[in-house]
Amino acid sequence: MIEIAKAAGNAILEVYGTAFEVETKADNSPLTEADRRAHHIIVDALNALTPDLPIVSEESEPPPYQERCRWQRYWLVDPLDGTKQFVQRDGAFTVNIALIDGGEPILGVVGVPVQARVYVGDSTRGEAWRHDESGRTPLRTRAMGRGTVAVVASKSHRTPRLEAYLAVLEDSFERVDRVHMGSSVKLCVLADGDADLYPRLGPTSEWDIAAGHAVLAAAGGAVMQLDGAPLLYNKESFLNPDFLAVADPTYPWKESLPRPP
């Protein structure tokens, strides 16, 4: 999976350095040649690796739910997460590959092509690590401190609702440190022990976060709905509900966080 993510990342970077065209999909999201190339590389490689497992990719037409609901295990892929960041050339885009089993992401790889970095999470073994030029580094989330919370939030989806929530959050803690960034890197930042909370109040799709979810869970964190229920996959709709990603699941988040507007 690491090699597949790297190959897709290299193909993305080849397009990144050119004067590429940007199309608009039916949902008004952007599409580039990089999305297509990464999709084909990943799907072909996964089909060769596990020919019996289905694949759902953002850039493919998924089968109807009546068929998907019978799946126990399948691949969930976002070949280029953060296409807006790719188009803006700010480097904050990723390659996401997740293995879903029983509605949960049990294995995930998040490649960050511009940084030559790959995050890996195996939640069944409770092992997560980061591959980069310095080698392999184990990942572990950090324990929640007293009175201070480091929050990562979406860079391209700074809605009034989210901003209102973050403003109220600042009244609930002595200190709130904010970092805005794009793509599934936000989940990896929590897994790497550099932040405590990622609140997402707004639409995301399952393929946007599944790989990062696996990395975070393997590193000791969790992704949950606002009522504390686990976030599951292979729903009838690919859209996720609002959710919270946390580095320290033992902290009483439900009692400590304000009610979202």
Side-chain angles (χ1 to χ4, degrees):
M1 288 175 66
I2 294 170
E3 294 307 314
I4 295 171
K6 287 180 177 179
N10 289 336
I12 289 170
L13 291 179
E14 289 176 359
V15 178
Y16 193 54
T18 67
F20 55 84
E21 296 183 0
V22 181
E23 301 174 29
T24 302
K25 296 192 288 189
D27 61 358
N28 291 322
S29 62
L31 176 69
T32 70
E33 178 63 21
D35 296 85
R36 293 192 184 92
R37 290 189 188 183
H39 164 79
H40 289 299
I41 287 172
I42 294 169
V43 169
D44 289 349
L46 291 179
N47 276 327
L49 182 68
T50 54
D52 296 331
L53 286 186
I55 302 171
V56 172
S57 168
E58 181 183 10
E59 306 308 335
S60 63
E61 186 66 33
Y65 180 68
Q66 290 75 12
E67 178 181 340
R68 290 191 290 110
C69 69
R70 297 193 294 268
W71 294 352
Q72 171 66 27
R73 179 176 287 197
Y74 69 100
W75 296 104
L76 183 57
V77 174
D78 191 345
L80 176 48
D81 179 39
T83 304
K84 289 182 179 178
Q85 284 71 42
F86 177 84
V87 171
Q88 296 167 2
R89 300 181 191 273
D90 75 354
F93 51 86
T94 59
V95 175
N96 298 339
I97 307 172
L99 182 63
I100 309 297
D101 189 282
E104 298 182 357
I106 62 169
L107 189 63
V109 168
V110 177
V112 189
V114 168
Q115 299 177 2
R117 177 175 293 178
V118 179
Y119 294 91
V120 183
D122 182 342
S123 60
T124 59
R125 296 185 179 184
E127 296 179 356
W129 59 94
R130 182 183 68 242
H131 282 273
D132 54 27
E133 294 177 351
S134 62
R136 170 174 164 155
T137 304
L139 302 180
R140 202 69 193 165
T141 59
R142 69 188 190 185
M144 181 63 184
R146 291 179 175 270
T148 300
V149 59
V151 180
V152 289
S154 177
K155 184 177 182 179
S156 59
H157 299 278
R158 297 176 66 170
T159 63
R161 183 171 176 240
L162 176 61
E163 291 301 314
Y165 179 76
L166 294 177
V168 176
L169 188 67
E170 292 177 346
D171 296 329
S172 304
F173 292 87
E174 295 177 10
R175 176 178 170 184
V176 175
D177 296 326
R178 283 204 225 178
V179 177
H180 290 273
M181 60 182 62
S183 76
S184 57
V185 171
K186 295 184 287 295
L187 293 157
C188 298
V189 168
L190 268 67
D192 217 349
D194 292 330
D196 304 298
L197 174 67
Y198 165 33
R200 182 56 188 246
L201 308 181
T204 57
S205 295
E206 292 184 351
W207 44 71
D208 292 325
I209 65 168
H213 184 168
V215 173
L216 177 58
V223 181
M224 65 190 79
Q225 300 181 54
L226 298 186
D227 63 0
L231 187 70
L232 299 177
Y233 296 80
N234 204 19
K235 306 182 295 295
E236 184 170 3
S237 170
F238 287 110
L239 291 178
N240 297 315
D242 295 339
F243 65 82
L244 300 172
V246 300
D248 184 357
T250 66
Y251 185 78
W253 291 104
K254 189 174 180 181
E255 295 77 18
S256 304
L257 295 175
R259 185 184 299 273

